[in-house]
């Protein structure tokens, strides 16, 4: 026997290995396979092949050996060598265009399917790819889909090099025509069906064979028949215990390795105790055991888990491939007429109009206008990128310099918009939003269960020791946490699907739980409780010439604010012109240069009037051309059908209701007839005022739901416990909100 002393490279921890100088086979340090032929040694570790040794060297050199601490032998065997130049096709521009889903001057984004991903070590390593190559900015894993999204600097590393790096650490990306065509690979695991089938078959037959035991109250005159049924039940239960229940044992074992008791631990313990006690009773001929209970626990838990996974997969499918967001976009026809259509109906070659502040829903080429694109939704960088006519503009960017026209070159990817909605950039919130209650319960459930079992055992020890075994096993069996695990998952998953079918689209199940906790609801007014496109509008002031109407129409059509859209619709027959130097000041107004004329549209303060200009008739949008005040558009909002009934229902449920509007208080008296005179109403609120008001409510201990149109309310939506953006076929998608509701 040889004693080796030394230090590992990773962490520089001292180690000692006892190595027998015999022909005994050893397990590979990387993948765990038995070394059948020659043993390859490196750093006093044994590997089954050069491939495993090479992967270890890469991980070791980059200081990522924590990979081996999370799981024992986490890697996959590398005995099959990857041929050199296998990923050379990724240097082809045509292939890159189909695989890369975002490009900018600084970075590119690509998603690879990695079928080898199987454990927490895989996730840890794949999310630290930036330590292997500095050209990789970050990588994010979707474990359920076995996908990794890599963000990288295109000048420092190529797409081919990334694929080669993934292969070098044991995760060769699966790239095929399916990926390029956008089709998903079927990853359905049939082993779950087999386990359910075996458990169900055994459970049903054990129940049937146990009828004599049930109906005879445990007394059967023919002992040989009783023994035959018992041993037959044991034979049926063995594959359930050894195969069907294996997932629970494996999960519990891994949690114990991490010094944490997960919720599978009491399930595994209940199965082991029930099976062990049953085997003891059958072999000692002291009873028939509880194999029906054991197989029943396994069968129903497996069925529950299957439907839980099915719910997740179905929900994921609906979120990715149907019109998940009720977004609309302005479609420009050949005769220059405009109409709103759902983004899901956009086709390659369609001409679309994107207003100031709107999200670009599909990859497109800039056809008309000045594009200054804010890609912060995609990259986290808020500095706008200027684009010239003919350049490609990627989905997810936000236009910040007036309206532009684009020609769609790639169909809308709802899954990509969903990914943006859940981007890490927007997971940090000024308010720490509550996680699901199921996590807190599952954390302590096992400890509470074991405590009750111990207390029960101590009690019966001093009162009737013969009941200790029955009492403890009964607790562990009956307290199987099926309902705890499955009820919230089933309920929340189906709630999301149900709400989605009724055009309420929640980001996740946590948003649903926070809605249930809320006690205060804050409403924006314009575009939220009013229709965006159905306002009554009148012009008051100097008679407008045809040229002046063109100027006003051209500027109003740049913005997607409800009041600007009302003015643009009022002048629908006027043909708009290009706008330069477009500026929009949230809560105040818009301005721009149109063929040498400076045009301003907005509040009285925005055009330089010193009075508050509060009118009881409606909202006023003032017009100024070349620093000369022309007049104003008087807009009377039309409130949404059913608003009265909604407010009555909310009041009956004792919600605190608040109106928070950027408009003046011209319609306060009318709103009091709907909301009541005691409802707090605040007008002339700027975006920062709305955010501060929501924060002040939270400091008072309130749980706030904020409903806004997503334009001037982004800060308040994000600050609130639940932010709900209201949309009327408008592209008001905002990562700041937790839910989207069709108007």
């Amino acid at each position: 026997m040889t004693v080796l002393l030394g230090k590992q490279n990773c962490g520089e921890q001292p180690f000692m290995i006892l190595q027998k100088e015999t022909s005994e086979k050893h397990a590979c340090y990387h993948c765990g396979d038995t070394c059948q032929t020659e043993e390859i040694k490196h750093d006093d570790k044994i590997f089954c092949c050069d491939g495993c040794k090479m992967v270890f060297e890469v991980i070791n050199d980059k200081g990522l050996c924590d990979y081996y601490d999370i799981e024992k032998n986490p890697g996959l065997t590398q005995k099959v060598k990857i041929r050199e130049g296998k990923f050379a096709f990724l240097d082809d521009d045509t292939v890159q265009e189909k695989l890369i889903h975002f490009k900018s001057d600084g970075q590119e984004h690509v998603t690879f399917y990695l079928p080898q991903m199987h454990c927490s070590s895989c996730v840890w390593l794949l999310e630290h790819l930036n330590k292997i190559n500095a050209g990789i900015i970050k990588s994010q894993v979707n474990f359920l889909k076995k996908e990794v999204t890599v963000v990288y600097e295109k000048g420092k590393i190529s797409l081919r090099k990334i694929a080669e790096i993934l292969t070098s650490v044991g995760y060769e990306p699966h790239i095929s025509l399916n990926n390029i065509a956008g089709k998903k690979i079927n990853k359905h695991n049939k082993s779950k069906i087999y386990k359910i089938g075996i458990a169900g078959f055994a459970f049903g037959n054990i129940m049937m064979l146990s009828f004599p035991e049930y109906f005879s109250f445990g007394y059967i005159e023919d002992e040989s028949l009783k023994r035959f049924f018992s041993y037959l039940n044991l034979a049926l239960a063995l594959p359930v215990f050894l195969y069907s229940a294996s997932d629970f044992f494996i999960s519990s074992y891994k949690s114990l390795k991490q010094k944490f008791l997960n919720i599978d631990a009491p399930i595994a313990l209940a199965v082991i105790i029930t099976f062990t006690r049953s085997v003891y009773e059958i072999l000692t001929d002291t009873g028939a055991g509880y194999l029906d209970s054991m197989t029943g626990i396994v069968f129903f838990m497996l069925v529950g888990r299957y439907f839980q996974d099915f719910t997740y997969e179905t929900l994921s499918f609906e979120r990715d491939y149907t019109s998940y967001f009720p977004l609309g976009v302005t479609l420009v026809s050949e005769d220059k007429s405009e109409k709103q259509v759902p983004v899901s109906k956009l086709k390659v070659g369609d001409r679309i109009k994107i207003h100031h502040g709107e999200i670009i829903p599909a990859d497109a080429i800039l056809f008309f206008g000045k594009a200054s694109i804010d890609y912060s939704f995609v990259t986290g960088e808020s500095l706008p990128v200027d684009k010239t006519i003919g350049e490609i503009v990627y989905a997810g960017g936000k236009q910040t310099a007036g309206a532009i026209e684009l020609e769609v070159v790639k169909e809308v990817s709802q899954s990509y918009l969903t990914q943006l909605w859940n981007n890490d950039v927007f997971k940090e919130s000024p308010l720490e939003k509550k996680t699901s209650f199921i996590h807190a319960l599952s954390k302590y459930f096992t400890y509470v269960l074991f405590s009750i079992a111990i207390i029960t055992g101590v009690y019966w020890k001093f009162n009737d020791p013969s009941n200790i075994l029955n009492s403890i096993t009964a607790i562990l069996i009956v307290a199987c946490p099926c309902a705890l695990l499955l009820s919230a998952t089933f309920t929340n998953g189906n709630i999301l699907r149900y709400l989605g079918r009724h055009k309420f689209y929640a980001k996740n199940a946590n948003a649903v739980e926070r809605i249930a906790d809320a006690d205060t609801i804050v409403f924006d007014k314009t575009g939220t409780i009013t229709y965006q496109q159905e306002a009554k509008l009148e012009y008051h002031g100097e008679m407008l010439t045809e040229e002046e109407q063109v100027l006003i129409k051209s500027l109003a059509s740049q913005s997607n604010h409800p009041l600007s859209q009302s003015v643009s619709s009022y002048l629908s027959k006027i043909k708009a012109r290009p706008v330069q130097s477009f500026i929009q000041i949230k809560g105040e107004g818009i301005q721009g240069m149109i063929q040498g004329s400076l045009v301003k549209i907005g509040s009285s303060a925005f055009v330089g009037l010193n009075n508050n200009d509060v009118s009881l008739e409606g909202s006023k949008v003032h017009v100024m051309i070349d620093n000369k005040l022309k007049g104003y558009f008087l807009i009377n909002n039309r409130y949404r059908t059913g608003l009265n009934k909604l407010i009555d229902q909310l009041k009956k449920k004792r919600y605190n209701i608040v109106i928070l509007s950027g408009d003046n208080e011209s319609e306060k008296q009318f709103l009091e007839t709907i909301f009541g005179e005691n409802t707090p109403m605040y007008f002339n609120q700027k975006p920062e005022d709305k955010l501060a008001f929501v924060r002040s409510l939270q400091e008072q201990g309130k749980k706030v739901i904020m409903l806004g149109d997503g334009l001037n309310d982004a800060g308040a939506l994000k600050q609130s416990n639940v932010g709900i953006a209201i949309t009327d076929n408008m592209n008001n998608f905002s990562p700041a909100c937790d839910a989207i509701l069709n108007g």
Side-chain angles (χ1 to χ4, degrees), residues 266 270 273 277 445 448-457 460 468-481:
I273 289 177
R277 178 173 173 178
F445 182 88
V448 172
L449 176 60
F450 288 163
S451 300
I452 294 173
I454 292 170
I455 293 170
T456 303
W460 285 114
I468 292 178
L469 185 61
N470 285 335
S471 302
I472 292 177
T473 53
I475 288 172
L476 295 175
I477 295 170
V478 173
C480 178

PDB file of all heavy atoms in Angstrom, residues 266 270 273 277 445 448-457 460 468-481:
ATOM      1  N   PRO A 266     -39.341  12.828   4.630  1.00  0.00           N
ATOM      2  CA  PRO A 266     -40.396  12.086   5.333  1.00  0.00           C
ATOM      3  C   PRO A 266     -41.128  11.088   4.443  1.00  0.00           C
ATOM      4  O   PRO A 266     -41.609  10.063   4.931  1.00  0.00           O
ATOM      5  CB  PRO A 266     -41.348  13.186   5.825  1.00  0.00           C
ATOM      6  CG  PRO A 266     -41.065  14.359   4.972  1.00  0.00           C
ATOM      7  CD  PRO A 266     -39.620  14.278   4.623  1.00  0.00           C
ATOM      8  N   ALA A 270     -41.215   7.279   5.447  1.00  0.00           N
ATOM      9  CA  ALA A 270     -42.500   6.588   5.586  1.00  0.00           C
ATOM     10  C   ALA A 270     -42.511   5.296   4.773  1.00  0.00           C
ATOM     11  O   ALA A 270     -42.987   4.255   5.239  1.00  0.00           O
ATOM     12  CB  ALA A 270     -43.637   7.505   5.133  1.00  0.00           C
ATOM     13  N   ILE A 273     -40.039   2.732   6.534  1.00  0.00           N
ATOM     14  CA  ILE A 273     -40.582   2.193   7.785  1.00  0.00           C
ATOM     15  C   ILE A 273     -41.756   1.257   7.506  1.00  0.00           C
ATOM     16  O   ILE A 273     -41.861   0.167   8.092  1.00  0.00           O
ATOM     17  CB  ILE A 273     -41.012   3.348   8.716  1.00  0.00           C
ATOM     18  CG1 ILE A 273     -39.769   4.064   9.254  1.00  0.00           C
ATOM     19  CG2 ILE A 273     -41.877   2.840   9.854  1.00  0.00           C
ATOM     20  CD1 ILE A 273     -40.075   5.258  10.121  1.00  0.00           C
ATOM     21  N   ARG A 277     -41.420  -2.648   8.430  1.00  0.00           N
ATOM     22  CA  ARG A 277     -42.348  -3.221   9.414  1.00  0.00           C
ATOM     23  C   ARG A 277     -43.183  -4.326   8.783  1.00  0.00           C
ATOM     24  O   ARG A 277     -43.450  -5.362   9.418  1.00  0.00           O
ATOM     25  CB  ARG A 277     -43.250  -2.121   9.972  1.00  0.00           C
ATOM     26  CG  ARG A 277     -44.263  -2.645  10.965  1.00  0.00           C
ATOM     27  CD  ARG A 277     -45.029  -1.541  11.618  1.00  0.00           C
ATOM     28  NE  ARG A 277     -46.103  -2.075  12.444  1.00  0.00           N
ATOM     29  CZ  ARG A 277     -46.920  -1.341  13.169  1.00  0.00           C
ATOM     30  NH1 ARG A 277     -46.773  -0.019  13.200  1.00  0.00           N
ATOM     31  NH2 ARG A 277     -47.880  -1.897  13.888  1.00  0.00           N
ATOM     32  N   PHE A 445     -41.302  21.640   7.542  1.00  0.00           N
ATOM     33  CA  PHE A 445     -42.256  20.539   7.669  1.00  0.00           C
ATOM     34  C   PHE A 445     -41.591  19.286   8.229  1.00  0.00           C
ATOM     35  O   PHE A 445     -42.108  18.644   9.145  1.00  0.00           O
ATOM     36  CB  PHE A 445     -42.886  20.233   6.308  1.00  0.00           C
ATOM     37  CG  PHE A 445     -43.916  19.146   6.358  1.00  0.00           C
ATOM     38  CD1 PHE A 445     -45.237  19.437   6.628  1.00  0.00           C
ATOM     39  CD2 PHE A 445     -43.563  17.814   6.152  1.00  0.00           C
ATOM     40  CE1 PHE A 445     -46.185  18.437   6.689  1.00  0.00           C
ATOM     41  CE2 PHE A 445     -44.502  16.812   6.210  1.00  0.00           C
ATOM     42  CZ  PHE A 445     -45.822  17.123   6.477  1.00  0.00           C
ATOM     43  N   VAL A 448     -40.692  19.593  11.969  1.00  0.00           N
ATOM     44  CA  VAL A 448     -41.898  19.529  12.808  1.00  0.00           C
ATOM     45  C   VAL A 448     -42.414  18.101  12.881  1.00  0.00           C
ATOM     46  O   VAL A 448     -42.798  17.607  13.950  1.00  0.00           O
ATOM     47  CB  VAL A 448     -42.980  20.480  12.255  1.00  0.00           C
ATOM     48  CG1 VAL A 448     -44.300  20.276  13.005  1.00  0.00           C
ATOM     49  CG2 VAL A 448     -42.527  21.923  12.360  1.00  0.00           C
ATOM     50  N   LEU A 449     -42.418  17.404  11.741  1.00  0.00           N
ATOM     51  CA  LEU A 449     -42.911  16.030  11.700  1.00  0.00           C
ATOM     52  C   LEU A 449     -42.080  15.120  12.605  1.00  0.00           C
ATOM     53  O   LEU A 449     -42.621  14.343  13.400  1.00  0.00           O
ATOM     54  CB  LEU A 449     -42.886  15.517  10.261  1.00  0.00           C
ATOM     55  CG  LEU A 449     -43.275  14.052  10.038  1.00  0.00           C
ATOM     56  CD1 LEU A 449     -44.694  13.802  10.516  1.00  0.00           C
ATOM     57  CD2 LEU A 449     -43.124  13.684   8.577  1.00  0.00           C
ATOM     58  N   PHE A 450     -40.760  15.227  12.494  1.00  0.00           N
ATOM     59  CA  PHE A 450     -39.890  14.395  13.327  1.00  0.00           C
ATOM     60  C   PHE A 450     -40.044  14.748  14.805  1.00  0.00           C
ATOM     61  O   PHE A 450     -39.984  13.870  15.675  1.00  0.00           O
ATOM     62  CB  PHE A 450     -38.431  14.559  12.902  1.00  0.00           C
ATOM     63  CG  PHE A 450     -38.118  13.915  11.579  1.00  0.00           C
ATOM     64  CD1 PHE A 450     -36.974  14.257  10.874  1.00  0.00           C
ATOM     65  CD2 PHE A 450     -38.971  12.978  11.025  1.00  0.00           C
ATOM     66  CE1 PHE A 450     -36.675  13.668   9.652  1.00  0.00           C
ATOM     67  CE2 PHE A 450     -38.687  12.392   9.798  1.00  0.00           C
ATOM     68  CZ  PHE A 450     -37.550  12.726   9.116  1.00  0.00           C
ATOM     69  N   SER A 451     -40.241  16.012  15.107  1.00  0.00           N
ATOM     70  CA  SER A 451     -40.429  16.424  16.505  1.00  0.00           C
ATOM     71  C   SER A 451     -41.693  15.808  17.087  1.00  0.00           C
ATOM     72  O   SER A 451     -41.694  15.318  18.225  1.00  0.00           O
ATOM     73  CB  SER A 451     -40.498  17.954  16.599  1.00  0.00           C
ATOM     74  OG  SER A 451     -39.306  18.542  16.125  1.00  0.00           O
ATOM     75  N   ILE A 452     -42.775  15.827  16.294  1.00  0.00           N
ATOM     76  CA  ILE A 452     -44.027  15.230  16.766  1.00  0.00           C
ATOM     77  C   ILE A 452     -43.857  13.730  16.991  1.00  0.00           C
ATOM     78  O   ILE A 452     -44.348  13.166  17.986  1.00  0.00           O
ATOM     79  CB  ILE A 452     -45.167  15.503  15.760  1.00  0.00           C
ATOM     80  CG1 ILE A 452     -45.488  17.002  15.712  1.00  0.00           C
ATOM     81  CG2 ILE A 452     -46.420  14.707  16.122  1.00  0.00           C
ATOM     82  CD1 ILE A 452     -46.464  17.380  14.631  1.00  0.00           C
ATOM     83  N   ALA A 453     -43.140  13.087  16.080  1.00  0.00           N
ATOM     84  CA  ALA A 453     -42.915  11.647  16.225  1.00  0.00           C
ATOM     85  C   ALA A 453     -42.111  11.336  17.490  1.00  0.00           C
ATOM     86  O   ALA A 453     -42.421  10.380  18.226  1.00  0.00           O
ATOM     87  CB  ALA A 453     -42.190  11.110  14.995  1.00  0.00           C
ATOM     88  N   ILE A 454     -41.095  12.145  17.783  1.00  0.00           N
ATOM     89  CA  ILE A 454     -40.276  11.926  18.987  1.00  0.00           C
ATOM     90  C   ILE A 454     -41.100  12.154  20.250  1.00  0.00           C
ATOM     91  O   ILE A 454     -41.043  11.363  21.206  1.00  0.00           O
ATOM     92  CB  ILE A 454     -39.043  12.853  18.965  1.00  0.00           C
ATOM     93  CG1 ILE A 454     -38.094  12.436  17.834  1.00  0.00           C
ATOM     94  CG2 ILE A 454     -38.308  12.822  20.305  1.00  0.00           C
ATOM     95  CD1 ILE A 454     -36.976  13.427  17.580  1.00  0.00           C
ATOM     96  N   ILE A 455     -41.884  13.240  20.257  1.00  0.00           N
ATOM     97  CA  ILE A 455     -42.731  13.530  21.425  1.00  0.00           C
ATOM     98  C   ILE A 455     -43.729  12.399  21.653  1.00  0.00           C
ATOM     99  O   ILE A 455     -43.971  11.970  22.795  1.00  0.00           O
ATOM    100  CB  ILE A 455     -43.463  14.875  21.231  1.00  0.00           C
ATOM    101  CG1 ILE A 455     -42.451  16.031  21.242  1.00  0.00           C
ATOM    102  CG2 ILE A 455     -44.514  15.084  22.314  1.00  0.00           C
ATOM    103  CD1 ILE A 455     -43.032  17.362  20.830  1.00  0.00           C
ATOM    104  N   THR A 456     -44.299  11.890  20.573  1.00  0.00           N
ATOM    105  CA  THR A 456     -45.246  10.776  20.679  1.00  0.00           C
ATOM    106  C   THR A 456     -44.574   9.536  21.260  1.00  0.00           C
ATOM    107  O   THR A 456     -45.124   8.845  22.124  1.00  0.00           O
ATOM    108  CB  THR A 456     -45.838  10.461  19.299  1.00  0.00           C
ATOM    109  OG1 THR A 456     -46.458  11.629  18.769  1.00  0.00           O
ATOM    110  CG2 THR A 456     -46.857   9.333  19.393  1.00  0.00           C
ATOM    111  N   GLY A 457     -43.366   9.246  20.762  1.00  0.00           N
ATOM    112  CA  GLY A 457     -42.632   8.081  21.272  1.00  0.00           C
ATOM    113  C   GLY A 457     -42.340   8.198  22.755  1.00  0.00           C
ATOM    114  O   GLY A 457     -42.478   7.225  23.516  1.00  0.00           O
ATOM    115  N   TRP A 460     -45.619   7.617  24.860  1.00  0.00           N
ATOM    116  CA  TRP A 460     -46.046   6.217  24.988  1.00  0.00           C
ATOM    117  C   TRP A 460     -45.028   5.383  25.755  1.00  0.00           C
ATOM    118  O   TRP A 460     -45.369   4.349  26.329  1.00  0.00           O
ATOM    119  CB  TRP A 460     -46.299   5.603  23.613  1.00  0.00           C
ATOM    120  CG  TRP A 460     -47.585   6.075  23.000  1.00  0.00           C
ATOM    121  CD1 TRP A 460     -47.732   6.827  21.905  1.00  0.00           C
ATOM    122  CD2 TRP A 460     -48.903   5.819  23.503  1.00  0.00           C
ATOM    123  NE1 TRP A 460     -49.056   7.087  21.658  1.00  0.00           N
ATOM    124  CE2 TRP A 460     -49.803   6.463  22.643  1.00  0.00           C
ATOM    125  CE3 TRP A 460     -49.416   5.119  24.608  1.00  0.00           C
ATOM    126  CZ2 TRP A 460     -51.181   6.432  22.830  1.00  0.00           C
ATOM    127  CZ3 TRP A 460     -50.793   5.078  24.802  1.00  0.00           C
ATOM    128  CH2 TRP A 460     -51.649   5.734  23.917  1.00  0.00           C
ATOM    129  N   ILE A 468     -45.582   2.319  21.131  1.00  0.00           N
ATOM    130  CA  ILE A 468     -44.569   3.223  20.565  1.00  0.00           C
ATOM    131  C   ILE A 468     -44.424   3.012  19.063  1.00  0.00           C
ATOM    132  O   ILE A 468     -44.509   3.954  18.265  1.00  0.00           O
ATOM    133  CB  ILE A 468     -43.210   3.021  21.270  1.00  0.00           C
ATOM    134  CG1 ILE A 468     -43.293   3.491  22.719  1.00  0.00           C
ATOM    135  CG2 ILE A 468     -42.118   3.791  20.522  1.00  0.00           C
ATOM    136  CD1 ILE A 468     -42.017   3.277  23.500  1.00  0.00           C
ATOM    137  N   LEU A 469     -44.198   1.751  18.665  1.00  0.00           N
ATOM    138  CA  LEU A 469     -43.955   1.472  17.248  1.00  0.00           C
ATOM    139  C   LEU A 469     -45.161   1.833  16.393  1.00  0.00           C
ATOM    140  O   LEU A 469     -45.029   2.480  15.348  1.00  0.00           O
ATOM    141  CB  LEU A 469     -43.602  -0.006  17.064  1.00  0.00           C
ATOM    142  CG  LEU A 469     -43.201  -0.413  15.641  1.00  0.00           C
ATOM    143  CD1 LEU A 469     -41.962   0.356  15.203  1.00  0.00           C
ATOM    144  CD2 LEU A 469     -42.946  -1.913  15.564  1.00  0.00           C
ATOM    145  N   ASN A 470     -46.371   1.436  16.852  1.00  0.00           N
ATOM    146  CA  ASN A 470     -47.582   1.749  16.086  1.00  0.00           C
ATOM    147  C   ASN A 470     -47.782   3.255  15.944  1.00  0.00           C
ATOM    148  O   ASN A 470     -48.131   3.761  14.877  1.00  0.00           O
ATOM    149  CB  ASN A 470     -48.810   1.133  16.764  1.00  0.00           C
ATOM    150  CG  ASN A 470     -48.897  -0.364  16.542  1.00  0.00           C
ATOM    151  OD1 ASN A 470     -48.364  -0.875  15.564  1.00  0.00           O
ATOM    152  ND2 ASN A 470     -49.553  -1.066  17.451  1.00  0.00           N
ATOM    153  N   SER A 471     -47.572   3.985  17.035  1.00  0.00           N
ATOM    154  CA  SER A 471     -47.843   5.429  17.026  1.00  0.00           C
ATOM    155  C   SER A 471     -46.866   6.180  16.121  1.00  0.00           C
ATOM    156  O   SER A 471     -47.266   7.025  15.309  1.00  0.00           O
ATOM    157  CB  SER A 471     -47.758   5.987  18.451  1.00  0.00           C
ATOM    158  OG  SER A 471     -48.672   5.337  19.292  1.00  0.00           O
ATOM    159  N   ILE A 472     -45.555   5.860  16.264  1.00  0.00           N
ATOM    160  CA  ILE A 472     -44.555   6.582  15.475  1.00  0.00           C
ATOM    161  C   ILE A 472     -44.719   6.276  13.987  1.00  0.00           C
ATOM    162  O   ILE A 472     -44.691   7.190  13.150  1.00  0.00           O
ATOM    163  CB  ILE A 472     -43.136   6.218  15.947  1.00  0.00           C
ATOM    164  CG1 ILE A 472     -42.910   6.775  17.362  1.00  0.00           C
ATOM    165  CG2 ILE A 472     -42.090   6.763  14.986  1.00  0.00           C
ATOM    166  CD1 ILE A 472     -41.563   6.420  17.943  1.00  0.00           C
ATOM    167  N   THR A 473     -44.897   5.013  13.645  1.00  0.00           N
ATOM    168  CA  THR A 473     -45.063   4.677  12.230  1.00  0.00           C
ATOM    169  C   THR A 473     -46.339   5.284  11.666  1.00  0.00           C
ATOM    170  O   THR A 473     -46.373   5.708  10.510  1.00  0.00           O
ATOM    171  CB  THR A 473     -45.075   3.155  12.042  1.00  0.00           C
ATOM    172  OG1 THR A 473     -46.062   2.572  12.913  1.00  0.00           O
ATOM    173  CG2 THR A 473     -43.722   2.555  12.353  1.00  0.00           C
ATOM    174  N   ALA A 474     -47.400   5.340  12.472  1.00  0.00           N
ATOM    175  CA  ALA A 474     -48.659   5.941  11.996  1.00  0.00           C
ATOM    176  C   ALA A 474     -48.459   7.413  11.650  1.00  0.00           C
ATOM    177  O   ALA A 474     -48.952   7.905  10.630  1.00  0.00           O
ATOM    178  CB  ALA A 474     -49.744   5.788  13.048  1.00  0.00           C
ATOM    179  N   ILE A 475     -47.721   8.135  12.507  1.00  0.00           N
ATOM    180  CA  ILE A 475     -47.477   9.566  12.252  1.00  0.00           C
ATOM    181  C   ILE A 475     -46.701   9.756  10.960  1.00  0.00           C
ATOM    182  O   ILE A 475     -47.046  10.586  10.114  1.00  0.00           O
ATOM    183  CB  ILE A 475     -46.716  10.187  13.440  1.00  0.00           C
ATOM    184  CG1 ILE A 475     -47.643  10.307  14.643  1.00  0.00           C
ATOM    185  CG2 ILE A 475     -46.149  11.551  13.070  1.00  0.00           C
ATOM    186  CD1 ILE A 475     -46.944  10.717  15.911  1.00  0.00           C
ATOM    187  N   LEU A 476     -45.647   8.957  10.794  1.00  0.00           N
ATOM    188  CA  LEU A 476     -44.803   9.116   9.617  1.00  0.00           C
ATOM    189  C   LEU A 476     -45.528   8.737   8.338  1.00  0.00           C
ATOM    190  O   LEU A 476     -45.254   9.283   7.269  1.00  0.00           O
ATOM    191  CB  LEU A 476     -43.531   8.271   9.768  1.00  0.00           C
ATOM    192  CG  LEU A 476     -42.595   8.714  10.900  1.00  0.00           C
ATOM    193  CD1 LEU A 476     -41.427   7.742  11.040  1.00  0.00           C
ATOM    194  CD2 LEU A 476     -42.070  10.122  10.661  1.00  0.00           C
ATOM    195  N   ILE A 477     -46.461   7.794   8.433  1.00  0.00           N
ATOM    196  CA  ILE A 477     -47.202   7.376   7.240  1.00  0.00           C
ATOM    197  C   ILE A 477     -48.323   8.360   6.923  1.00  0.00           C
ATOM    198  O   ILE A 477     -48.463   8.839   5.796  1.00  0.00           O
ATOM    199  CB  ILE A 477     -47.766   5.952   7.427  1.00  0.00           C
ATOM    200  CG1 ILE A 477     -46.620   4.944   7.543  1.00  0.00           C
ATOM    201  CG2 ILE A 477     -48.687   5.573   6.269  1.00  0.00           C
ATOM    202  CD1 ILE A 477     -47.060   3.558   7.959  1.00  0.00           C
ATOM    203  N   VAL A 478     -49.121   8.699   7.944  1.00  0.00           N
ATOM    204  CA  VAL A 478     -50.289   9.559   7.721  1.00  0.00           C
ATOM    205  C   VAL A 478     -49.866  10.975   7.348  1.00  0.00           C
ATOM    206  O   VAL A 478     -50.531  11.642   6.552  1.00  0.00           O
ATOM    207  CB  VAL A 478     -51.184   9.572   8.984  1.00  0.00           C
ATOM    208  CG1 VAL A 478     -52.293  10.591   8.830  1.00  0.00           C
ATOM    209  CG2 VAL A 478     -51.750   8.196   9.234  1.00  0.00           C
ATOM    210  N   ALA A 479     -48.751  11.435   7.903  1.00  0.00           N
ATOM    211  CA  ALA A 479     -48.316  12.813   7.663  1.00  0.00           C
ATOM    212  C   ALA A 479     -47.552  12.968   6.364  1.00  0.00           C
ATOM    213  O   ALA A 479     -46.878  13.966   6.158  1.00  0.00           O
ATOM    214  CB  ALA A 479     -47.456  13.295   8.826  1.00  0.00           C
ATOM    215  N   CYS A 480     -47.618  11.987   5.480  1.00  0.00           N
ATOM    216  CA  CYS A 480     -46.977  12.101   4.170  1.00  0.00           C
ATOM    217  C   CYS A 480     -47.439  13.393   3.498  1.00  0.00           C
ATOM    218  O   CYS A 480     -48.641  13.608   3.335  1.00  0.00           O
ATOM    219  CB  CYS A 480     -47.360  10.900   3.310  1.00  0.00           C
ATOM    220  SG  CYS A 480     -46.692  10.961   1.660  1.00  0.00           S
ATOM    221  N   PRO A 481     -46.519  14.275   3.163  1.00  0.00           N
ATOM    222  CA  PRO A 481     -46.899  15.645   2.783  1.00  0.00           C
ATOM    223  C   PRO A 481     -47.386  15.780   1.347  1.00  0.00           C
ATOM    224  O   PRO A 481     -46.964  16.671   0.621  1.00  0.00           O
ATOM    225  CB  PRO A 481     -45.601  16.417   3.003  1.00  0.00           C
ATOM    226  CG  PRO A 481     -44.539  15.409   2.701  1.00  0.00           C
ATOM    227  CD  PRO A 481     -45.065  14.089   3.178  1.00  0.00           C
TER     228      PRO A 481
END
